Amino acid sequence: MTKLQILPRLIVSEPDRAAAYYRDSLGAEEAFRALGDDGRPTVVEHLLGATSFRVSPAVPAWGWLSPHDLGGSPVLLEIEVDDPDETGARMTAHGAETVVPIENRDYGKRSGRIRDPFGHLWIVTGEPR
């Protein structure tokens, strides 16, 4: 079988600010950064646990639009953590907003939804208390 890997790329208006947000709020580790001729990042790759994701600037000419450009995000990113409350609190302390409070759910998880400052929606989930 050939190598197969999905690498989500979050399109944002401010890639440097987004990279700092994901580092500070989620503990993401920057693994790679490529700069354009203008010195602005064209891609920043982050490691988060056993997964990775990338951040790139919005480039409307390429069809790369941020959630703010689209009026919202059609994608939910789900992050499973040891302490959803603490993770959600860190995310909101760094500028995110709570969309659905983090609570114990009937399906056996403790979860809620957070919109990060760049318009991306995150389900923050873990074991119930």
Side-chain angles (χ1 to χ4, degrees):
M1 181 171 189
T2 60
K3 181 177 180 177
L4 177 62
Q5 186 176 16
I6 188 167
L7 298 167
R9 186 175 298 218
L10 307 181
I11 304 301
V12 299
S13 57
E14 301 175 66
D16 279 322
R17 198 173 125 225
Y21 171 81
Y22 297 125
R23 179 195 65 227
D24 295 343
S25 68
L26 297 176
E29 178 185 333
E30 188 173 309
F32 174 79
R33 176 181 286 251
L35 302 177
D37 293 338
D38 61 0
R40 184 177 179 199
T42 57
V43 63
V44 181
E45 183 173 2
H46 295 85
L47 302 177
L48 189 59
T51 63
S52 67
F53 66 97
R54 296 170 178 188
V55 173
S56 286
V59 182
W62 297 350
W64 290 13
L65 303 174
S66 76
H68 294 304
D69 296 329
L70 297 170
S73 176
V75 175
L76 284 169
L77 301 157
E78 187 165 347
I79 182 170
E80 190 162 341
V81 296
D82 290 331
D83 188 340
D85 296 277
E86 191 270 333
T87 299
R90 260 196 344 265
M91 291 175 80
T92 57
H94 286 92
E97 79 174 279
T98 299
V99 176
V100 175
I102 295 172
E103 300 173 342
N104 288 341
R105 304 292 173 186
D106 292 341
Y107 48 82
K109 292 285 187 177
R110 183 165 185 80
S111 68
R113 281 187 224 119
I114 307 288
R115 180 178 293 112
D116 72 26
F118 312 97
H120 294 283
L121 292 168
W122 295 78
I123 297 173
V124 180
T125 190
E127 294 304 314
R129 293 198 233 170

